[in-house]
Amino acid sequence: MTIRRTLLILVLLAVLGLAGSLVTAPLLPERVPSHWNAAGEIDGYSSRNTALYLMPALMFGLGIMILYLPQIDPLRANVEKFRAAYNWAVVGFAVFMLYMHALTLLAGLGVKFNMTAVLLPAMGGLFFGLGFLLDHARRNWFIGIRTPWTLSSDHVWEKTHRLGGLLFKVAGLLVMGGALLPGETSFWVMFSLLMAASFVPVVYSYVAFRQEQRKGG
């Protein structure tokens, strides 16, 4: 997917989110649910205008920033090798935020649901997509598992991202299945899987770097 096409999709998703806001605006109360606890229950509210317009603005603004951030990377040539996968990840992030916006509007309209249960499948999909991106990432300064050891060696980068990609994809599938667990339990399962998928590759990058140094010595 090209940058231009990705930008067009971001604009369309932002317009769709704004359209949903305009349609529901007359029906929403002054205070709209905006935060949920680990059990998936509402425990915080925001103003109607915040609920209507904050998420579409963030979706578009952050999407644009993430889309063009690699343009200033000194290793931009490496990013171009997996640019299509990266652009898909940007779209996936925007779709996730649009989904969150839709859930917020539905909650404001009085629709009853457990946020953790409906959010976990989307979070699992996000993790899986991140794993796919890590599989394709090449050494750069902004995207991926950037430790002193991965940034010092293409070989360590590739080994670490191969492991990280696998862990995030497995975590994504397990998080999707975790939606069947009780609300608070499923949240902590998701949190634990995310921490493991994030922390293990960092440690592994150091181990892989040390092994490379010993072989080189």
Side-chain angles (χ1 to χ4, degrees):
M1 182 185 296
T2 64
I3 294 177
R4 183 176 180 179
R5 186 170 296 178
T6 305
L7 177 59
L8 177 60
I9 294 174
L10 287 177
V11 171
L12 291 175
L13 291 174
V15 169
L16 184 59
L18 183 59
S21 296
L22 295 176
V23 168
T24 57
L27 306 174
L28 291 179
E30 289 296 325
R31 297 174 69 246
V32 178
S34 61
H35 192 272
W36 289 259
N37 60 26
E41 303 162 341
I42 299 169
D43 66 354
Y45 292 81
S46 66
S47 69
R48 178 169 55 192
N49 284 340
T50 299
L52 286 171
Y53 305 116
L54 178 61
M55 192 63 76
L58 284 176
M59 178 175 61
F60 184 71
L62 290 176
I64 293 295
M65 183 185 73
I66 296 170
L67 179 62
Y68 287 102
L69 188 62
Q71 301 296 97
I72 62 172
D73 194 325
L75 295 174
R76 177 182 172 185
N78 281 351
V79 177
E80 294 305 316
K81 296 176 182 178
F82 66 98
R83 184 76 211 206
Y86 180 71
N87 290 346
W88 275 111
V90 174
V91 170
F93 170 75
V95 169
F96 175 78
M97 294 194 72
L98 180 62
Y99 180 65
M100 284 288 297
H101 182 54
L103 292 177
T104 300
L105 295 180
L106 288 173
L109 293 172
V111 178
K112 302 296 183 183
F113 57 86
N114 182 287
M115 177 59 86
T116 301
V118 298
L119 189 59
L120 280 182
M123 289 294 298
L126 201 63
F127 290 178
F128 192 91
L130 181 55
F132 179 81
L133 177 61
L134 292 178
D135 278 343
H136 291 78
R138 297 295 178 265
R139 189 161 59 93
N140 70 95
W141 289 97
F142 291 113
I143 306 155
I145 303 164
R146 302 174 311 284
T147 69
W149 312 291
T150 57
L151 291 173
S152 298
S153 165
D154 283 324
H155 182 63
V156 173
W157 177 282
E158 290 171 7
K159 290 179 66 176
T160 300
H161 282 72
R162 195 179 307 125
L163 174 63
L166 175 62
L167 290 177
F168 268 94
K169 285 187 282 189
V170 170
L173 293 174
L174 292 176
V175 166
M176 291 180 195
L180 302 175
L181 299 173
E184 193 162 354
T185 300
S186 61
F187 172 84
W188 288 112
V189 167
M190 178 194 71
F191 181 79
S192 300
L193 289 169
L194 175 60
M195 290 298 99
S198 301
F199 182 70
V200 170
V202 171
V203 175
Y204 178 76
S205 70
Y206 173 74
V207 174
F209 180 78
R210 293 287 295 174
Q211 290 175 342
E212 184 178 69
Q213 292 293 101
R214 283 197 292 270
K215 289 179 181 178

